[in-house]
Amino acid sequence: MRLIENWFSERYSDNLQLSFRVKDQLMSVKTDYQRIDVFDTYDYGKLLAIDGTVQMCEYDEFVYHEMITLVPLHFTREQPKKALIIGGGDGGVAGQLNKAGVNDITNVEIDSQVVQVCERFFPGLTSIFRKPGVKLLIKDGIKYLRETREKFDIIMVDSTDPEGPAEGLFSKKFYEDARNKLNEGGVFVTQSGSPYYQPKAIKMAFEGLSSVFKHVRPYTAFIPTYPSGFWSFTIAYDSDVDEPETTPFSGKYFNNDILRGCFLLPQFVKDLIGVT
Ligand code: SAM
């Protein structure tokens, strides 16, 4: 990754990029799967990038990690006990899950060097991997899910965007495997990209999940360092749970209003996924 006058830029298209002025580049390594960079930015603290796309920053990681974790917890029939995270080598999702009272966590990350880099630069997040009850496996999540005999109350895909090793995590076959490894009353959640810049991701997730699960619901959050700042997640589940009115959880971003409001979708997103 070449720095131009101490700027790191994530390119969204040939005509658009988001640039962060950086104090220093702290790390750059090419692994068997991807390129991992860490920058020390002026406005967002330390920033983890994979193949040139922002994965998380110190100053806004709480939005994504709270939203991918706390929202789905309201759609399982009981308080989930056993969770599977695919991706999430930075530990952010496992940490939020554990804070929300889920102690039996299996985290399957394909690239050990993501974990090593995050241990060095984001130790506050990766410390969760040393907690009793939290199992970190370095494997391909697609293969793991197909082969495991375990079943889970919540399965979460905190992966990179649907390219390279993550592409299969947005496939119908993967979603069928996920449904087979969910306990009765369980819930599945995936990050589903930016409706503005990655319409394919939310469409793939919504259509693929809709062919497998009874209820499929996209929801959104505002994450300043992600493409356009407008990000989506999609949950899927079979049981007919009541619409949650209030939440026992509170976060720096998540609260009762967000729990109710995050499912309200702009018309262009409804048109994109073909719902009225
Ligand atoms: N919050 C970020 C986002 O929404 O883009 C994701 C952060 S997390 C670092 C993404 C992780 O997914 C990466 O560490 C990557 O190695 C991992 N990953 C991608 N494909 C995978 C697969 N098939 N199995 C397990 N982990 C995978």
Side-chain angles (χ1 to χ4, degrees), residues 34 55 64 87 90 108-110 114 140-141 158-160 165-166 226:
Q34 50 217 346
Q55 299 297 303
Y64 175 95
D90 50 51
V108 182
E109 162 59 56
I110 199 167
V114 169
D140 179 344
D158 172 28
S159 74
T160 39
Y226 277 14

Side-chain angles (χ1 to χ4, degrees), residues 144-191:
Y144 172 82
L145 193 69
R146 198 169 41 241
E147 294 167 357
T148 184
R149 294 187 197 296
E150 308 226 21
K151 295 192 93 169
F152 302 92
D153 302 314
I154 177 168
I155 296 177
M156 311 171 77
V157 174
D158 172 28
S159 74
T160 39
D161 298 330
E163 281 127 32
E167 192 172 354
L169 297 171
F170 291 74
S171 70
K172 187 169 170 244
K173 173 80 190 76
F174 174 78
Y175 293 146
E176 286 163 349
D177 289 344
R179 185 162 181 265
N180 295 334
K181 302 293 163 65
L182 269 179
N183 287 320
E184 189 74 16
V187 70
F188 175 91
V189 63
T190 182
Q191 71 94 347

Side-chain angles (χ1 to χ4, degrees), residues 47-104:
L47 180 153
L48 172 72
I50 289 185
D51 286 341
T53 65
V54 174
Q55 299 297 303
M56 58 132 189
C57 305
E58 274 176 323
Y59 292 174
D60 75 353
E61 58 75 23
F62 67 91
V63 182
Y64 175 95
H65 291 135
E66 284 179 15
M67 288 303 284
I68 196 171
T69 307
L70 300 180
V71 171
L73 292 183
H74 295 77
F75 292 86
T76 53
R77 240 206 330 250
E78 287 115 42
Q79 160 74 3
K81 295 187 181 54
K82 207 166 146 62
L84 170 63
I85 303 164
I86 292 177
D90 50 51
V93 174
Q96 284 290 347
L97 259 183
N98 194 253
K99 213 161 91 184
V102 181
N103 301 313
D104 181 340

Side-chain angles (χ1 to χ4, degrees), residues 2-129:
R2 211 162 42 80
L3 285 184
I4 301 170
E5 290 141 27
N6 290 341
W7 290 81
F8 159 64
S9 300
E10 176 174 349
R11 285 167 63 87
Y12 300 156
S13 74
D14 291 346
N15 319 307
L16 193 69
Q17 60 187 22
L18 176 66
S19 299
F20 301 77
R21 189 151 166 266
V22 300
K23 297 174 193 164
D24 196 8
Q25 174 152 10
L26 303 174
M27 152 71 75
S28 186
V29 60
K30 181 90 179 74
T31 77
D32 294 344
Y33 299 98
Q34 50 217 346
R35 197 191 64 241
I36 307 169
D37 294 288
V38 179
F39 301 97
D40 187 7
T41 73
Y42 281 95
D43 289 5
Y44 281 94
K46 285 202 277 298
L47 180 153
L48 172 72
I50 289 185
D51 286 341
T53 65
V54 174
Q55 299 297 303
M56 58 132 189
C57 305
E58 274 176 323
Y59 292 174
D60 75 353
E61 58 75 23
F62 67 91
V63 182
Y64 175 95
H65 291 135
E66 284 179 15
M67 288 303 284
I68 196 171
T69 307
L70 300 180
V71 171
L73 292 183
H74 295 77
F75 292 86
T76 53
R77 240 206 330 250
E78 287 115 42
Q79 160 74 3
K81 295 187 181 54
K82 207 166 146 62
L84 170 63
I85 303 164
I86 292 177
D90 50 51
V93 174
Q96 284 290 347
L97 259 183
N98 194 253
K99 213 161 91 184
V102 181
N103 301 313
D104 181 340
I105 299 172
T106 300
N107 198 121
V108 182
E109 162 59 56
I110 199 167
D111 191 341
S112 60
Q113 289 179 272
V114 169
V115 180
Q116 288 156 24
V117 168
C118 292
E119 275 169 346
R120 186 164 154 208
F121 295 106
F122 305 94
L125 289 178
T126 55
S127 57
I128 186 65
F129 292 140

